[in-house]
């Protein structure tokens, strides 16, 4: 080999080192250049992984070679190459079996490799892998000078180092970008609003929060839809030692099953089609802080098994990787379901349930919080007053009575939405902007008695139908079935009132559209 030819082949490869090329392309160009300079029928680049050699790129070998794994102990030629200090050519009469016999692209009647050489690739003083060269006639490499092979091997080592470094820099950049995003969100996080209310139920709740916040215990928040479970989670995080760290939330019900796993635990490049880079999951993003698993009861059993490992020892694996990551995360979970019931029915793992409910916190439904309804109404009215620039916004006595006697199936969220809606309607009805706006029972327009609601007896002085109290339900069917029945009838009623428009029925019930869909499916309405 003349030095000029070698240099001409090496220079473009050296240029390649500083270019942003896909990894496969980088290796392919290297092997092609090598074949152009060294007279071989096939070349390969193999990476060592423990006891195995894995082909990363091949040129002149059948494509299926890329899918093969070679155990080093089973292939004495590979073993000898890995142990040699530099390039090694096997004598043509060497009787060691050749791993590539039958794999070299060539005339169909010539299958056996007759001349074979290779060189170890040293990266960081460790044998990283091999380049190999093969020919189908026995004397092909007789004239090849070993220093040229060494030059290619060194360049191959530089190439894999560069590819590795570019890859790890790229994933570090992505990691840092995500981390910066988390801190940006954490810095912008408003302190959660206060949990308004004076009822014994609310006082017990505040006390629970104060007791558990400072510990690192896992908390399971239960309660009907709209009671304030998310707000409670925020309050616990804010009052904890992790308050200055991010609070990361994930709604386990809002994502398709296939995405939940990668959202929670992250994935590595190629873990599934579309996984173009490594990505951390919410657990890793929440490292040092708190992870809020909303609607945890919706997780599938296989994902619960993975969750159990993190809850037990803080260890997780990104999807498609066997590397362990360790995280320090406090978990707060919430559900509107009766998880103990789900455990009985085999829908939820008992071990995960026990890990989650180390400290259970129940948020009472609004109808059990007595006059908190009026305090909350005051809080929401004040928000509306400020937003709309009114001097005063008040409730008439009959409006207060109506709020107090309604059953609030959608709880605090329903109250919040109802008041915002009522204020706008009252303003529109008045035509001009008053200094002080009074909301009457008519303005708040609570759901009327209908097929689902118990009929309120009409008396002489209450001409208008009264707001909802409780539906007439046969209590002998058991609490669970009675509640289901109640919910079913409320939904049907809301649908009827909203012309079977699911989105506005959901708004009317103070529910998220997705929550209403899920509930309707469970109750057999959809
Ligand atoms: N005690 C409270 N004081 C003030 N605002 C409250 C209170 N409880 C709930 N809210 C407000 O009511 C709304 C619903 O609360 P949140 O989203 O926390 O309920 P949730 O239980 O998580 O509901 P879902 O089950 O539908 O997810 C939010 O706007 C929240 O800020
Ligand atoms: Mg919620």
């Amino acid at each position: 080999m003349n030095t000029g030819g070698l240099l001409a082949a090496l220079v473009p490869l050296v240029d390649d080192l500083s270019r942003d090329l896909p990894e496969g392309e980088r290796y392919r160009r290297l092997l092609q250049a090598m074949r152009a300079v060294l007279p071989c029928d096939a070349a390969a680049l193999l990476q060592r992984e423990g006891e195995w050699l894995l082909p990363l790129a091949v040129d002149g070998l059948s494509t299926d070679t890329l899918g093969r794994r070679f155990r080093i102990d089973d292939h004495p030629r590979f073993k000898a190459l890995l142990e040699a200090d530099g390039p090694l050519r096997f004598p043509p009469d060497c009787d060691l079996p050749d791993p590539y016999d039958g794999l070299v692209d060539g005339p169909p009647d010539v299958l056996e490799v007759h001349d074979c050489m290779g060189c170890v690739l040293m990266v960081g003083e460790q044998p990283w892998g091999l380049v190999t060269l093969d020919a189908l006639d026995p004397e092909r490499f007789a004239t090849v000078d070993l220093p040229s092979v060494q030059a290619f091997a060194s360049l191959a080592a530089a190439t894999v180092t560069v590819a590795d470094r570019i890859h790890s820099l790229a994933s570090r950049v992505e990691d840092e970008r995500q981390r910066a995003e988390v801190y940006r969100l954490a810095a912008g996080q408003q302190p959660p609003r206060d949990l308004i209310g004076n009822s014994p139920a609310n006082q017990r709740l505040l006390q629970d929060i104060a007791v558990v916040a400072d510990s690192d215990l896992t908390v399971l928040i239960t309660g009907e839809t709209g009671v304030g479970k998310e707000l409670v989670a925020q309050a616990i995080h804010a009052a904890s030692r992790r308050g200055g760290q991010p609070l990361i939330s994930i709604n386990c019900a809002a994502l398709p099953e296939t995405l939940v796993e990668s959202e929670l635990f992250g994935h590595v490049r190629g873990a599934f089609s579309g996984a173009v880079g490594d990505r951390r999951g919410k657990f890793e993003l929440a490292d040092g802080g708190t992870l809020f698993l909303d609607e945890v009861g919706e997780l599938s059993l296989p994902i619960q098994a993975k969750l159990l490992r993190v809850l037990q020892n803080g260890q997780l694996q990104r999807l498609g990787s066997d590397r362990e990551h360790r995280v320090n995360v406090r978990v707060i979970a919430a559900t509107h379901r009766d998880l103990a019931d789900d455990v009985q029915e085999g829908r939820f793992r008992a071990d995960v349930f026990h890990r989650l409910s180390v400290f259970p916190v129940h948020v009472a439904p609004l109808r059990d919080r007595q006059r908190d309804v009026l305090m909350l109404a005051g809080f929401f009215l004040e928000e509306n007053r400020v937003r709309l620039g009114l001097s005063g916004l008040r409730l008439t006595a009959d409006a207060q009575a109506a709020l107090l006697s309604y059953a609030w199936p959608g709880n605090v969220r329903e109250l919040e939405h109802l008041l915002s809606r009522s204020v706008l309607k009252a303003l529109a009805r008045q035509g001009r902007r008053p200094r002080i706006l009074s909301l009457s029972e008519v303005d708040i327009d609570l759901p009327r008695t209908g097929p689902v609601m118990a009929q309120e007896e009409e008396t002489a002085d209450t001409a208008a139908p009264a707001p909802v109290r409780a539906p007439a339900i046969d209590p002998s069917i058991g609490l669970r079935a009675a509640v289901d029945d109640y919910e079913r009838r409320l939904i049907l009623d809301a649908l009827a009132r909203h012309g079977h428009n699911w989105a506005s029925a959901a708004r009317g019930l103070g529910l998220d559209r997705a929550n209403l869909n899920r509930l309707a499916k469970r109750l057999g309405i959809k």
Side-chain angles (χ1 to χ4, degrees), residues 225-226 228-231 251 292 294-295 334 413 512 515:
T225 182
K229 297 186 291 296
E230 183 158 358
L231 194 54
N251 184 336
F292 177 48
D294 203 0
E295 302 294 359
R413 183 180 296 110
D512 275 351
N515 282 344

Side-chain angles (χ1 to χ4, degrees), residues 126-170:
Q126 296 291 325
W128 180 94
L130 295 178
V131 279
T132 59
L133 301 172
D134 291 272
L136 295 172
D137 66 87
E139 285 306 314
R140 185 79 67 80
F141 298 146
T143 56
V144 165
D145 73 329
L146 295 183
S148 323
V149 178
Q150 177 67 67
F152 271 105
S154 303
L155 205 55
T159 302
V160 298
T161 311
V162 161
D164 261 12
R165 190 154 297 163
I166 288 180
H167 182 205
S168 79
L169 282 176

Side-chain angles (χ1 to χ4, degrees), residues 193-194 196 225-231 376 412-413 416 515:
R193 58 166 69 143
D194 288 336
I196 310 289
T225 182
V227 283
K229 297 186 291 296
E230 183 158 358
L231 194 54
L376 282 160
V412 185
R413 183 180 296 110
E416 182 176 8
N515 282 344

Side-chain angles (χ1 to χ4, degrees), residues 44-122:
L45 174 69
L46 301 113
Q47 180 176 12
R48 180 180 191 158
E49 252 189 50
E51 301 160 35
W52 300 85
L53 277 171
L54 313 182
L56 282 191
V58 296
D59 200 63
L61 290 170
S62 67
T63 318
D64 69 83
T65 315
L66 280 176
R68 293 173 189 249
R69 297 162 65 93
F70 300 100
R71 185 194 288 281
I72 296 165
D73 279 346
D74 295 344
H75 294 285
R77 286 190 190 228
F78 282 157
K79 203 167 169 171
L81 287 172
L82 281 169
E83 284 164 1
D85 276 345
L88 177 68
R89 178 183 174 219
F90 293 95
D93 57 354
C94 167
D95 57 3
L96 294 174
D98 193 292
Y100 298 134
D101 275 346
L103 299 179
V104 179
D105 292 334
D109 49 329
V110 191
L111 291 175
E112 287 190 20
V113 174
H114 295 290
D115 207 353
C116 162
M117 63 187 300
C119 185
V120 64
L121 301 190
M122 300 298 288

Side-chain angles (χ1 to χ4, degrees), residues 158-187:
T159 302
V160 298
T161 311
V162 161
D164 261 12
R165 190 154 297 163
I166 288 180
H167 182 205
S168 79
L169 282 176
S171 61
R172 228 174 54 216
V173 166
E174 173 57 18
D175 246 35
E176 292 308 325
R177 193 194 62 72
Q178 283 188 31
R179 219 168 164 62
E181 179 67 11
V182 165
Y183 277 97
R184 194 182 65 74
L185 290 175

Side-chain angles (χ1 to χ4, degrees), residues 66-386:
L66 280 176
R68 293 173 189 249
R69 297 162 65 93
F70 300 100
R71 185 194 288 281
I72 296 165
D73 279 346
D74 295 344
H75 294 285
R77 286 190 190 228
F78 282 157
K79 203 167 169 171
L81 287 172
L82 281 169
E83 284 164 1
D85 276 345
L88 177 68
R89 178 183 174 219
F90 293 95
D93 57 354
C94 167
D95 57 3
L96 294 174
D98 193 292
Y100 298 134
D101 275 346
L103 299 179
V104 179
D105 292 334
D109 49 329
V110 191
L111 291 175
E112 287 190 20
V113 174
H114 295 290
D115 207 353
C116 162
M117 63 187 300
C119 185
V120 64
L121 301 190
M122 300 298 288
V123 172
E125 299 186 14
Q126 296 291 325
W128 180 94
L130 295 178
V131 279
T132 59
L133 301 172
D134 291 272
L136 295 172
D137 66 87
E139 285 306 314
R140 185 79 67 80
F141 298 146
T143 56
V144 165
D145 73 329
L146 295 183
S148 323
V149 178
Q150 177 67 67
F152 271 105
S154 303
L155 205 55
T159 302
V160 298
T161 311
V162 161
D164 261 12
R165 190 154 297 163
I166 288 180
H167 182 205
S168 79
L169 282 176
S171 61
R172 228 174 54 216
V173 166
E174 173 57 18
D175 246 35
E176 292 308 325
R177 193 194 62 72
Q178 283 188 31
R179 219 168 164 62
E181 179 67 11
V182 165
Y183 277 97
R184 194 182 65 74
L185 290 175
Q189 259 166 21
Q190 303 285 332
R193 58 166 69 143
D194 288 336
L195 283 152
I196 310 289
N198 259 341
S199 62
N202 203 61
Q203 282 169 11
R204 268 197 306 277
L205 180 65
L206 293 178
Q207 211 171 359
D208 279 351
I209 294 173
V211 168
V212 78
D214 213 23
S215 74
D216 248 354
L217 295 183
T218 304
V219 182
L220 179 64
I221 306 169
T222 55
E224 292 175 11
T225 182
V227 283
K229 297 186 291 296
E230 183 158 358
L231 194 54
V232 169
Q234 290 166 354
I236 294 174
H237 170 75
S240 76
R241 268 169 279 161
R242 296 168 182 255
Q245 303 292 318
L247 167 68
I248 304 289
S249 300
I250 176 168
N251 184 336
C252 306
L255 293 165
E257 155 107 41
T258 44
L259 279 187
V260 176
E261 186 175 355
S262 108
E263 278 291 308
L264 279 174
F265 307 112
H267 61 244
V268 292
R269 192 159 55 139
F272 49 88
S273 61
V276 285
D278 291 6
R279 194 159 165 229
R280 300 188 213 218
K282 302 272 186 190
F283 263 104
E284 285 179 76
L285 289 177
D287 202 7
T290 304
L291 179 65
F292 177 48
L293 295 175
D294 203 0
E295 302 294 359
V296 73
E298 310 301 321
L299 287 180
S300 68
L301 289 164
I303 296 185
Q304 289 173 31
K306 301 201 165 170
L307 177 61
L308 181 66
R309 285 199 60 217
V310 199
L311 293 174
Q312 277 171 336
N313 53 24
Q315 281 188 335
L316 61 88
Q317 283 175 347
R318 292 183 186 172
L319 207 67
S321 154
D322 41 22
R323 219 182 110 205
E324 295 281 356
H325 294 266
R326 200 165 250 296
V327 288
N328 168 8
V329 170
R330 193 229 189 129
V331 172
I332 303 179
T335 181
H336 68 281
R337 303 174 68 107
D338 182 344
L339 282 193
D341 218 44
D342 286 351
V343 168
Q344 288 287 319
E345 307 269 324
R347 280 193 300 265
F348 207 83
R349 289 177 64 121
D351 43 13
V352 177
F353 172 60
H354 292 304
R355 287 271 168 188
L356 287 177
S357 56
V358 178
F359 195 101
V361 171
H362 182 68
V363 189
L366 186 54
R367 63 184 164 280
D368 292 348
R369 292 194 230 164
Q370 304 163 352
R371 297 180 72 80
D372 282 1
V373 177
L374 295 184
M375 285 185 70
L376 282 160
F379 174 80
F380 294 132
L381 287 176
E382 189 56 22
E383 277 191 345
N384 279 283
R385 187 193 66 74
V386 172

Side-chain angles (χ1 to χ4, degrees), residues 225 410 413-414 417 421 490-491 494-495 497-498 500-517:
T225 182
R413 183 180 296 110
E414 184 182 8
H417 290 179
R421 210 164 50 233
L490 281 172
I491 293 174
L495 282 170
R497 273 188 289 114
H498 292 273
H500 290 274
N501 179 324
W502 284 86
S504 52
R507 265 196 306 280
L509 288 167
L511 285 179
D512 275 351
R513 172 89 192 263
N515 282 344
L516 176 62
N517 277 340

